[in-house]
Amino acid sequence: MSDDGTLIQAAMDARAKAHAPYSNFLVGCAVKSADGTIVQGANMENACYRLGVCAEQSALAAAQIAFGLENVAQLVVVGGPRHAEDSASGNPVMPCGGCRQAIMEAATLSGRDITVICCDHTGQQHMTTTIGALLPSAFDLPKG
Ligand code: THU
């Protein structure tokens, strides 16, 4: 399997563990470090709806523990409705605005852009982009 294929499969495995009983929209994410270490995350919803956590932020928390946000090189997000499993393909899930800011936090720490691959629930690769392209003119605090 290609390197991207391995990372997409890791995101799909994570999606299978999503806790999304309210939206029934399951999202998985895999993050790879510059030296090839992979961590995973999935969306974690809550009966208090607004307290749910997106897959990307869940994976970025794991990345910080495993190798530090400053070493994030690549991120894959896969998603789709729970009952989409029967359909051959769907639309790629795009990181929400808040997740784009969270991914940008990692890019700012490293001074490098981060590759973002967005896929549907089958893991088919639909779009490869970067966080710089997804969040132009990003907010940041002044240095110092
Ligand atoms: N979700 C993610 O996990 N990542 C995104 O970038 C978009 C949305 C989750 C949040 C919620 O659990 C479900 O998808 C529906 O919005």
Side-chain angles (χ1 to χ4, degrees):
M1 197 185 285
S2 69
D3 284 359
D4 284 358
T6 300
L7 201 58
I8 290 168
Q9 187 58 54
M12 290 186 64
D13 292 346
R15 178 175 179 262
K17 298 184 178 170
H19 176 68
Y22 306 104
S23 72
N24 282 310
F25 191 84
L26 311 184
V27 186
C29 181
V31 172
K32 190 163 78 173
S33 71
D35 70 2
T37 305
I38 294 174
V39 295
Q40 297 157 289
N43 53 336
M44 295 290 136
E45 296 185 349
N46 191 287
C48 181
Y49 296 162
R50 69 186 179 84
L51 297 183
V53 176
C54 286
E56 296 91 322
Q57 300 212 39
S58 157
L60 287 167
Q64 168 69 358
I65 302 301
F67 45 73
L69 287 180
E70 68 279 12
N71 291 308
V72 171
Q74 194 175 357
L75 180 149
V76 168
V77 59
V78 307
R82 186 187 302 279
H83 299 297
E85 264 59 7
D86 298 338
S87 42
S89 64
N91 295 320
V93 61
M94 302 302 296
C96 75
C99 288
R100 293 180 195 202
Q101 186 73 35
I103 299 164
M104 183 58 83
E105 180 79 12
T108 301
L109 284 172
S110 69
R112 281 180 273 108
D113 209 351
I114 293 172
T115 302
V116 178
I117 301 178
C118 309
C119 304
D120 67 0
H121 66 282
T122 69
Q124 286 175 44
Q125 185 170 318
H126 281 272
M127 185 189 287
T128 299
T129 182
T130 69
I131 192 57
L134 288 173
L135 190 64
S137 308
F139 171 75
D140 195 12
L141 290 169
K143 304 290 172 235

